[in-house]
Amino acid sequence: MTKEDIEKLDFILNKLLENEGTVGSKDLHIAGYYEQYKDDDNKIENDFNLLKLVYEDLKIGRLSSTKDGNLISYNSNVLRFKNEYNSFKDYYSILNEQIANEELVIKKENERQELKDRIDVLKIDELEYKRTIRQLEEELKISSLLKNYWWLIASAIAVGFAIGKFLI
C-alpha cells in the first residue's frame, strides 16, 4: 500500500462516518485524489476497485455496484474499525510493526537453529577428536612398552632362537 492509497482509504472511512452514507469513486475524484488519471474512468474505477478490495477483505462497510459505479456503504464495522484503529494509517502502522516483530522472531529462530546446528557439528568434531586421541594413546602405550621392555623382548627372541637351534 502506498501512502496515497492509505490516504484514500482514510478519506473513504471518514466520509462513511460523516453521514453513515456511501462513498464512490466520484467522491474521491471530487476530493482531488484522481487528478493524475485525467478523467480516465477505467483507471479511476480500477483504482477504486483496489480500495474496495481492502474494505471487502477487512469486512468494513457494505459493497455494492450500481449503474453509477461501485459504492462502499456504511455498516457497524466502519465504526468498530474507527474505534479500534482510528485510521488506516494507524492500522497499517500496527500491521507493519507486527510483521516486523514476526520477522524478528523468525530471524531469532533461524539464528537459534544455526547455533544448534553448529553445536551439533562441534559435538561430532569433539567425538572424532576424542577417538583420535584414544587411538594415539593406545599407540603411545604400545611404543612405550616396546621402548621400556625392548631388552625383555630381545631376550625372549634370542632364547627362542637358541631353543630352536638346540631342538634341530
Side-chain angles (χ1 to χ4, degrees):
M1 278 284 158
T2 66
K3 183 178 177 182
E4 185 178 285
D5 288 337
I6 293 172
E7 287 176 10
K8 291 176 198 173
L9 291 169
D10 280 335
F11 173 81
I12 294 169
L13 181 67
N14 292 329
K15 202 75 162 154
L16 288 172
L17 287 167
E18 276 180 17
N19 301 320
E20 296 183 5
T22 60
V23 177
S25 60
K26 290 180 182 174
D27 295 310
L28 289 164
H29 189 54
I30 291 169
Y33 285 104
Y34 291 137
E35 297 287 323
Q36 74 270 23
Y37 294 140
K38 298 183 179 156
D39 297 329
D40 185 343
D41 290 338
N42 285 333
K43 288 183 179 179
I44 291 171
E45 283 305 313
N46 286 338
D47 185 76
F48 188 74
N49 285 335
L50 293 174
L51 299 173
K52 195 172 107 173
L53 284 173
V54 172
Y55 274 85
E56 185 176 21
D57 285 346
L58 295 174
K59 297 176 179 30
I60 301 172
R62 282 187 311 272
L63 309 173
S64 58
S65 296
T66 65
K67 64 179 179 170
D68 295 330
N70 295 317
L71 297 173
I72 302 172
S73 303
Y74 177 87
N75 73 2
S76 61
N77 291 338
V78 174
L79 185 58
R80 179 194 53 78
F81 183 86
K82 180 72 172 178
N83 288 337
E84 190 171 336
Y85 297 107
N86 190 41
S87 68
F88 275 93
K89 181 180 179 184
D90 293 344
Y91 171 76
Y92 280 109
S93 175
I94 291 168
L95 192 62
N96 287 335
E97 188 176 308
Q98 289 173 344
I99 290 170
N101 287 340
E102 288 173 8
E103 288 174 351
L104 183 63
V105 167
I106 290 170
K107 182 180 175 185
K108 292 288 184 190
E109 185 59 36
N110 287 341
E111 288 174 359
R112 186 176 297 119
Q113 187 60 44
E114 286 177 17
L115 286 174
K116 284 181 179 179
D117 292 345
R118 285 186 65 204
I119 288 170
D120 290 343
V121 168
L122 289 173
K123 284 180 179 178
I124 290 170
D125 289 347
E126 178 187 23
L127 290 173
E128 287 181 27
Y129 175 77
K130 285 180 178 180
R131 192 185 87 228
T132 304
I133 291 295
R134 277 194 301 272
Q135 288 173 346
L136 290 173
E137 285 175 346
E138 288 173 9
E139 290 174 13
L140 184 60
K141 285 179 185 176
I142 291 171
S143 64
S144 177
L145 286 173
L146 288 174
K147 180 180 171 188
N148 290 332
Y149 297 103
W150 65 270
W151 56 271
L152 184 61
I153 296 168
S155 298
I157 292 173
V159 168
F161 274 125
I163 292 174
K165 291 280 185 180
F166 180 70
L167 290 175
I168 298 181

